[in-house]
Amino acid sequence: MPSGIEKTFQLLANTDNHAVVPVLVDALDSPYTDVREAALSALLEQRHAVAQRALVQRWRNFTPVQRSWIELSGISLEIALRELIQSNDNEQFTLALEILDQVPEFELIPSLAVIVRDSGHAFRDPAGNTLVNLAANLRKKLRDDGIQANVESVRSRAIDSLGDCIRHYEQHESLPILEAFLVLVTRENQLLREAWNNPRHPAHSAIIRFLRHSSRPEIIELVLSSLTDMHPAGPVLNIIGLRHDPAFIAELTTRAQGSMNDTIRRNLSRLTKVAWAEEHSHVLDKLNGLQQAAAVHMSMSTSIGSDRLYDLLIIMAHSSHASGRLAALEELASYVDPKTNELILEAVSDRNSAVRAEALRQLRPRGIPGAIKLLLQHLDSPQLIVQDTVRKALAEFNFPRYLAAFDKMSPDAQKNNGRLVRGIDVNTQRLLAAELTSDASYRRMRALKVIDVMENHIDMEPDLIKAMQHDDYFLRAEAAKLLGHCSSSTAVNALRNAMLDRNVRVRENAEESLRKIAGNKFVPPTTESSPGEGRLKT
């Protein structure tokens, strides 16, 4: 249950009678901590100028926790702070700036701008710092809370007041005003576009310097927005190529991750100088892998020249980040020369599977000797991306093509190509099974020969057993012969049943296969639960 004093202050906090304000103000000076804190909590509910003045004048008496209460309460101190910054009292002015650094009153931006543009004002410099901080906090509020009509209108008024100062920049040359303006505007601002496009504008040179060197996130964002501008200002677009500071490059490459649209590519193509891709490429070492990959792909859209691009790709091909190496190898695909071929061969042994896969993909298009042999060495890789790449690189070794040329091949070619196809084309077993059930007897018999040549007996065991039920005794006889390469109990049982076949050739082949299996040094299990279990490993 709340105490009597708590109930009293709750009542004072919730009343609309402004007569309670002086009572609460007096209670702020109580010798009792509980009373002071209760009075402060209640006073924060009162939207009255007297309450504002009381809080402002006692600011330095409050503890850090109590100041945070004021900050988080949402109470406006605009009236009281405006009085302080417009006074001629230096102590009062200093207090106002101190409070504004913790409790931002965005409506005071125009008033501070007037002070900062006055070159004779004693507190011009500290007021300038506060002005920039207010602008940055306002921009952050818009970013964090989304567009709100009341906050957006505050920003609009702030931009208007700062813009008026920019129009007369030669009269004050205040960098804080310029910085606050750049923090708040977007590239669509007409005054900004006039200033950065026109070298004769009073603020042109200062704006370009800010865009060239400022590490403020808002200003970096302003520069980078030119990449998506259909009609970007040339001086600003060039800054993207000139800047090479880590903060800027990190943000640039983070934004460029993934696919780039045509507008970005077109704007990048206008860059003939890209410091971060040329003499200052070492800055890319400070990026993570995805950022490095973005930098590589972005650089390829610029117009810095093939030789410089190649040098960058060689550097990035040896990056410590796999994504950077992968991006470099992808872009090196268009460079076919001994040096690049050697680099690709080295990358085949890269510790990262994606990089290895990309290197393997490029072996045959480059005409590297022994490419097929090298690809086959990676066919059984445990990494699926490597397996898939090898199969695509050897796509001509597919079953339909092999089957179509089978009868024209020499026995050695049938055997060698058959083993390749078996390992490369994952559809081999399915397509062979379809051939075994064809209506054409020639295709069925050819399928059996292919199985034998490929040495694919064990994989095709279930289909060979089915073939022994076919009406065609030639098919049954050859299937019985091939089952001699299988040693599972299912195959043995099928062959025993074939010993009762009405055709003598089927019976003879079944008997011969059983002898062959019996002579195998491995003894098969006595029972099987399915055709696929209990087979010998090959």
Side-chain angles (χ1 to χ4, degrees):
M1 293 292 291
S3 64
I5 191 171
E6 289 174 339
K7 290 182 178 179
T8 300
F9 279 107
Q10 287 176 3
L11 178 63
L12 295 175
N14 296 326
T15 183
D16 293 330
N17 188 346
H18 294 312
V20 304
V21 173
V23 176
L24 293 173
V25 169
D26 289 342
L28 288 176
D29 301 321
S30 170
Y32 303 105
T33 301
D34 291 346
V35 173
R36 292 198 303 272
E37 291 187 347
L40 174 59
S41 179
L43 199 59
L44 292 176
E45 301 297 326
Q46 297 295 325
R47 303 299 190 254
H48 193 278
V50 174
Q52 292 187 35
R53 295 187 185 104
L55 295 174
V56 165
Q57 294 300 334
R58 291 167 174 77
W59 178 262
R60 290 173 179 162
N61 296 330
F62 294 132
T63 65
V65 172
Q66 291 170 337
R67 292 177 187 176
S68 67
W69 292 354
I70 299 173
E71 177 186 3
L72 298 174
S73 70
I75 188 173
S76 172
L77 302 179
E78 178 192 346
I79 295 174
L81 291 175
R82 188 183 299 277
E83 292 173 352
L84 294 187
I85 65 175
Q86 290 177 346
S87 70
N88 294 322
D89 188 300
N90 292 344
E91 182 63 26
Q92 295 290 292
F93 191 91
T94 302
L95 176 61
L97 297 184
E98 180 183 329
I99 297 173
L100 281 171
D101 284 337
Q102 184 166 348
V103 184
E105 290 292 345
F106 304 125
E107 291 284 7
L108 294 180
I109 289 178
S111 299
L112 285 173
V114 172
I115 293 171
V116 176
R117 70 185 292 179
D118 182 0
S119 58
H121 198 285
F123 288 91
R124 185 192 191 199
D125 291 341
N129 293 334
T130 301
L131 174 65
V132 174
N133 289 338
L134 278 178
N137 284 328
L138 176 54
R139 182 64 177 266
K140 182 177 184 299
K141 184 174 180 62
L142 285 164
R143 183 173 59 250
D144 294 346
D145 299 344
I147 301 300
Q148 299 177 5
N150 61 326
V151 181
E152 187 59 39
S153 64
V154 172
R155 169 171 149 171
S156 180
R157 288 192 293 273
I159 290 175
D160 287 344
S161 64
L162 293 168
D164 184 62
C165 298
I166 300 300
R167 292 186 183 90
H168 303 91
Y169 185 74
E170 74 282 0
Q171 296 178 6
H172 55 84
E173 296 185 342
S174 169
L175 294 181
I177 285 178
L178 191 58
E179 187 172 9
F181 177 74
L182 294 174
V183 164
L184 287 176
V185 295
T186 63
R187 70 166 189 256
E188 289 80 13
N189 183 271
Q190 188 59 38
L191 174 59
L192 175 65
R193 298 185 77 88
E194 290 174 3
W196 67 20
N197 274 311
N198 182 7
R200 291 187 294 274
H201 191 282
H204 175 82
S205 296
I207 285 177
I208 296 302
R209 282 195 298 272
F210 254 112
L211 300 180
R212 175 77 171 79
H213 299 289
S214 176
S215 59
R216 275 197 172 274
E218 301 86 1
I219 296 181
I220 289 177
E221 180 181 351
L222 184 61
V223 175
L224 294 179
S225 69
S226 293
L227 276 177
T228 57
D229 193 345
M230 292 293 292
H231 304 286
V236 182
L237 191 60
N238 289 336
I239 289 172
I240 295 175
L242 294 173
R243 289 192 64 159
H244 52 83
D245 49 300
F248 182 85
I249 300 304
E251 184 63 25
L252 167 65
T253 52
T254 298
R255 288 168 175 257
Q257 289 175 24
S259 59
M260 295 182 289
N261 60 37
D262 292 340
T263 300
I264 293 177
R265 293 185 184 279
R266 183 173 59 252
N267 286 334
L268 286 172
S269 69
R270 295 172 57 182
L271 299 180
T272 57
K273 173 67 178 176
V274 181
W276 49 266
E278 299 178 76
E279 69 271 22
H280 293 285
S281 59
H282 58 83
V283 72
L284 302 182
D285 293 338
K286 302 180 184 298
L287 305 179
N288 61 39
L290 293 177
Q291 291 171 332
Q292 285 185 349
V296 168
H297 294 313
M298 287 179 66
S299 67
M300 299 303 292
S301 295
T302 67
S303 299
I304 64 175
S306 180
D307 291 343
R308 292 176 178 175
L309 285 173
Y310 182 77
D311 292 341
L312 174 67
L313 295 178
I314 294 298
I315 292 172
M316 296 310 299
H318 295 91
S319 167
S320 60
H321 295 293
S323 295
R325 298 196 302 276
L326 176 60
L329 260 61
E330 290 172 346
E331 299 295 353
L332 280 169
S334 59
Y335 294 85
V336 182
D337 57 85
K339 181 179 178 181
T340 310
N341 288 354
E342 183 178 347
L343 188 150
I344 295 299
L345 278 171
E346 291 176 3
V348 168
S349 302
D350 194 275
R351 60 186 178 276
N352 180 268
S353 59
V355 177
R356 289 201 305 276
E358 177 58 27
L360 289 166
R361 184 188 68 80
Q362 295 187 30
L363 290 179
R364 296 191 71 190
R366 291 178 175 277
I368 294 177
I372 292 180
K373 182 178 180 181
L374 194 53
L375 285 165
L376 290 174
Q377 291 174 3
H378 290 79
L379 184 59
D380 296 325
S381 169
Q383 285 80 34
L384 293 179
I385 186 174
V386 175
Q387 286 187 26
D388 186 57
T389 298
V390 171
R391 288 193 169 94
K392 289 179 179 178
L394 300 172
E396 72 269 29
F397 294 97
N398 60 76
F399 184 79
R401 185 174 178 177
Y402 172 74
L403 193 63
F406 183 79
D407 293 329
K408 300 177 183 178
M409 295 181 189
S410 66
D412 287 342
Q414 288 177 344
K415 185 174 183 178
N416 294 333
N417 286 298
R419 289 176 177 176
L420 287 176
V421 169
R422 179 187 171 188
I424 294 168
D425 190 346
V426 296
N427 296 310
T428 295
Q429 187 174 335
R430 176 179 60 81
L431 295 175
L432 260 178
E435 288 294 302
L436 281 174
T437 59
S438 170
D439 293 335
S441 61
Y442 164 73
R443 291 176 60 183
R444 297 194 298 268
M445 295 304 294
R446 182 180 60 180
L448 290 174
K449 187 175 181 180
V450 169
I451 291 172
D452 195 32
V453 168
M454 282 186 168
E455 299 180 358
N456 203 17
H457 311 85
I458 294 178
D459 288 340
M460 298 301 297
E461 179 187 302
D463 301 286
L464 291 173
I465 293 174
K466 288 180 183 178
M468 292 180 64
Q469 308 301 319
H470 201 278
D471 292 339
D472 185 349
Y473 73 88
F474 286 106
L475 186 68
R476 298 200 305 274
E478 287 302 307
K481 182 178 180 180
L482 295 184
L483 278 173
H485 295 274
C486 305
S487 58
S488 71
S489 61
T490 306
V492 170
N493 289 335
L495 289 169
R496 286 173 178 168
N497 291 334
M499 292 290 292
L500 303 175
D501 194 276
R502 62 184 180 274
N503 183 270
V504 63
R505 185 174 177 183
V506 175
R507 295 196 299 272
E508 290 175 349
N509 285 354
E511 182 180 1
E512 180 62 27
S513 290
L514 286 170
R515 285 199 192 98
K516 185 176 181 180
I517 294 172
N520 194 306
K521 62 181 179 179
F522 297 105
V523 180
T526 57
T527 59
E528 292 288 330
S529 60
S530 70
E533 296 178 355
R535 301 175 191 151
L536 289 177
K537 300 294 183 180
T538 60

